[in-house]
Amino acid sequence: MAKQNAAAPAAFPAAPGTPPGPVPAAPVPPSDLAADTQASLEAVPPATPRTSGSAKSAASAATSRSTSSRRPGRVRKARLRLLRVDPWSVMKTAFLLSVALGITMFVAVAVLWSVLDAAGVFSSIDEIVTDMTASDSNSGIDINQYVELSRVLGFTTLIAVVDVVLLTALATLGAFLYNLSASLLGGLELTLAEDD
């Protein structure tokens, strides 16, 4: 009886005027402690053997290597259709490419003329033409005045400018014609492939 009276005040609030302090916990019988310990031991799963991360990565790399050596790489294919070409972009691109072609032609002609002149080709051709066209009243045709460097480069510049204008116009006209034919026939079909 004395034990029950001593444990009873712990369940109720302290009486006014008593100093605040920790409330003593009720004693737990030993049989309850043993049952709780047994239940917590049963709740823990059995330990499984763990492998290190490096061993796992080595095993996965070996597996992927063996599967990749067995299977050849697949090729993904896609069929696309070219429906429209922008004439403005075609004109700009054709203009730049034709200007580059004209500059290349100018430089190539200048280098070729220098090599032929250094080799003496023009002088030997001039001698042959002069001997063939010479007469008593005429000294013959002088070929050097027609193949001078300034005259040849001027003619090359004229051809390059005409090429720039013609190639730009023809490329732009081709873009318009392609757009017209693509609207009627569906355009070009392209098959693109991508390796895995």
Side-chain angles (χ1 to χ4, degrees):
M1 241 0 225
K3 285 184 180 179
Q4 288 179 355
N5 292 339
F12 297 101
T18 59
V23 179
V28 180
S31 61
D32 293 340
L33 282 175
D36 290 341
T37 307
Q38 184 65 24
S40 64
L41 286 176
E42 289 174 358
V44 174
T48 56
R50 296 183 181 179
T51 57
S52 63
S54 61
K56 283 184 179 180
S57 62
S60 63
T63 307
S64 65
R65 262 189 257 119
S66 63
T67 56
S68 65
S69 63
R70 280 186 242 139
R71 272 190 311 186
R74 292 179 298 172
V75 177
R76 292 190 298 176
K77 293 182 179 179
R79 294 185 66 183
L80 302 175
R81 184 175 293 174
L82 186 61
L83 290 179
R84 187 177 182 278
V85 178
D86 187 20
W88 176 247
S89 65
V90 170
M91 186 183 74
K92 291 188 295 186
T93 306
F95 176 75
L96 289 178
L97 289 177
S98 57
V99 167
L101 182 64
I103 293 172
T104 304
M105 185 170 61
F106 185 85
V107 173
V109 167
V111 170
L112 181 63
W113 191 93
S114 301
V115 169
L116 292 177
D117 187 45
V121 174
F122 295 131
S123 60
S124 60
I125 290 175
D126 182 51
E127 290 177 3
I128 294 172
V129 171
T130 303
D131 291 341
M132 291 176 62
T133 58
S135 62
D136 295 335
S137 60
N138 191 3
S139 62
I141 298 174
D142 186 13
I143 198 79
N144 286 328
Q145 63 182 354
Y146 297 106
V147 292
E148 291 178 351
L149 180 61
S150 59
R151 190 175 291 231
V152 170
L153 290 182
F155 187 69
T156 304
T157 305
L158 180 63
I159 292 176
V161 170
V162 171
D163 280 347
V164 167
V165 174
L166 284 179
L167 288 176
T168 305
L170 288 176
T172 308
L173 181 62
F176 278 112
L177 291 176
Y178 177 80
N179 290 337
L180 182 62
S181 65
S183 64
L184 295 175
L185 303 174
L188 292 175
E189 286 189 1
L190 306 174
T191 301
L192 304 178
E194 179 185 3
D195 294 335
D196 283 346

